[in-house]
């Protein structure tokens, strides 16, 4: 089974890119982030025509997450991250597909640091950890998938010394990410490529993609139940080079079911 994540950075403006990639890559399950479209503007007809069912939670102008599945039933569990009834940002969606819990997230950026946006990011991470602890205790086959807006370590960023006070790389968020791994969540891409330079995002400025001056923000974490199922994975880096593409590239893994 092939499972992928892709921050599309505006689903309607980049729909041709998304559809081209879906046709080429043929993933079974896809988590999308940063739809930048209200609920009624999600291109469900085009997604269905490409062979995928979908559930989504849009938001005007920014945020938004979706889960797609090909030839598989999607059972929605929840479309908000528990723990704050006043948080109206569309950043989390959870579903059951093929007896797996799929947690699609778009974790807050947190910049500028310090400030209220960074505080919101830390609180969001606290809520996420609480939910993921529950999934671990229930011993469920689960995957946390999406744009974490966290650079886990210096090996995941071009020139890490420039990022020390950026909310993506602050020690507080790196510590929180490590705590998730210590709880039993497996960083699938880093496990498959322990010593290689792997990036999933390249800024539009300064020819970052051409210079491979990237960062790794998009992660797929497996609960202990799925560790032994991990077969392969990678980043479809070439998609970032397509015309009018997102600044992220799709990330995927294959599980032996």
């Amino acid at each position: 089974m092939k499972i992928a994540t892709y921050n599309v950075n505006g689903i309607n403006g980049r729909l041709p890119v998304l559809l081209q990639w879906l046709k080429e890559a043929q993933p079974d399950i896809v988590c999308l982030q940063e739809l930048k479209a209200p609920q009624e503007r999600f291109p469900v007809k085009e997604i269905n025509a490409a062979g995928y069912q979908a559930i989504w939670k849009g938001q005007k102008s920014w945020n938004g997450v979706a889960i797609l599945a090909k030839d598989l039933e999607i059972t929605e569990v929840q479309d908000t991250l528990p723990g704050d009834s006043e948080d109206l940002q569309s950043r989390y969606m959870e579903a059951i597909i093929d007896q797996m819990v799929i947690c699609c997230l778009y974790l807050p950026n947190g910049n500028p640091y310090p400030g209220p946006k960074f505080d919101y990011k830390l609180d969001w991470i606290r809520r996420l950890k609480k939910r993921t602890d529950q999934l671990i205790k229930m011993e469920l086959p689960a995957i946390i998938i999406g744009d974490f807006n966290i650079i886990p370590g210096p090996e995941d960023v071009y020139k890490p010394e420039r990022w020390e006070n950026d909310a993506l790389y602050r020690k507080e968020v790196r510590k929180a990410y490590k705590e998730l791994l210590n709880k039993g969540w497996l960083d699938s891409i880093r496990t498959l490529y322990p010593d290689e330079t792997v990036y999933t995002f390249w800024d539009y400025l300064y020819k970052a993609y051409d210079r491979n001056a990237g960062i790794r923000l998009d992660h797929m974490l497996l609960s202990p139940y799925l560790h032994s199922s991990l077969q392969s994975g990678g980043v479809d880096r070439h998609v970032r080079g397509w015309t009018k593409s997102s600044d992220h590239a799709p990330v995927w893994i294959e599980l032996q079911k």
Side-chain angles (χ1 to χ4, degrees):
M1 174 172 288
K2 188 173 186 179
I3 305 171
T5 181
Y6 189 15
N7 179 319
V8 293
N9 191 17
I11 192 166
N12 287 303
R14 306 189 198 280
L15 185 58
V17 172
L18 172 61
L19 295 176
Q20 181 181 347
W21 170 72
L22 288 174
K23 184 177 181 180
E24 175 187 282
Q26 294 291 311
D28 299 291
I29 299 171
V30 185
C31 289
L32 302 177
Q33 305 86 39
E34 208 171 351
L35 303 180
K36 292 183 177 179
Q39 190 75 3
E40 66 276 11
R41 289 286 314 282
F42 185 85
V44 63
K45 291 182 179 180
E46 292 86 346
I47 296 296
N48 290 164
Y52 290 85
Q53 300 179 60
I55 59 173
W56 67 94
K57 187 174 183 182
Q59 188 166 10
K60 185 178 180 179
S61 301
W62 67 87
N63 302 332
V65 288
I67 301 175
L68 316 183
K70 182 174 62 175
D71 302 324
L72 295 166
E73 181 179 350
I74 307 174
T75 302
E76 184 176 324
V77 176
Q78 54 192 342
D79 64 4
T80 57
L81 182 64
D84 185 355
S85 59
E86 297 182 357
D87 184 2
L88 302 179
Q89 296 193 26
S90 300
R91 293 186 174 275
Y92 184 84
M93 177 164 279
E94 190 175 308
I96 296 173
I97 305 176
D98 197 28
Q99 300 181 331
M100 292 186 296
V101 181
I102 303 296
C103 305
C104 175
L105 63 82
Y106 178 39
L107 203 144
N109 179 287
N111 280 306
Y113 166 85
K117 290 186 177 181
F118 186 72
D119 296 339
Y120 170 64
K121 179 174 189 170
L122 293 182
D123 183 67
W124 208 95
I125 292 172
R126 177 190 61 77
R127 291 158 53 202
L128 176 65
K129 288 167 67 176
K130 184 175 181 180
R131 178 57 182 154
T132 56
D133 284 348
Q134 293 171 343
L135 293 172
I136 291 284
K137 289 177 182 178
M138 289 187 284
E139 299 183 344
L140 293 172
I143 314 179
I144 317 171
I145 308 173
D147 179 357
F148 281 61
N149 270 317
I150 295 175
I151 303 169
E155 66 278 9
D156 300 302
V157 55
Y158 180 78
K159 296 189 176 180
E161 65 276 5
R162 297 182 178 180
W163 293 80
E164 290 293 340
N165 285 315
D166 191 286
L168 304 181
Y169 192 64
R170 278 292 306 172
K171 60 183 180 181
E172 295 92 337
V173 297
R174 284 185 284 146
K175 180 175 182 256
Y177 188 86
K178 186 176 181 180
E179 287 171 351
L180 281 174
L181 304 188
N182 290 340
K183 288 284 188 177
W185 295 95
L186 184 74
D187 183 334
S188 55
I189 295 298
R190 185 50 69 196
T191 298
L192 291 167
Y193 303 98
D195 302 313
E196 296 185 33
T197 298
V198 180
Y199 299 142
T200 67
F201 170 96
W202 298 262
D203 200 296
Y204 291 124
L205 301 175
Y206 312 118
K207 296 186 177 180
Y209 176 69
D210 296 333
R211 297 185 295 114
N212 199 27
I215 52 182
R216 189 168 74 98
L217 294 178
D218 306 88
H219 310 305
M220 308 180 74
L221 306 187
L222 307 182
S223 70
Y225 192 95
L226 291 173
H227 288 190
S228 62
S229 300
L230 180 63
Q231 299 294 304
S232 61
V235 179
D236 287 342
R237 184 186 186 280
H238 66 286
V239 176
R240 171 62 179 82
W242 290 353
T243 301
K244 296 184 178 179
S245 185
S246 170
D247 41 11
H248 293 252
V251 183
W252 58 273
I253 58 173
E254 288 187 323
L255 301 180
Q256 180 68 47
K257 294 292 291 181

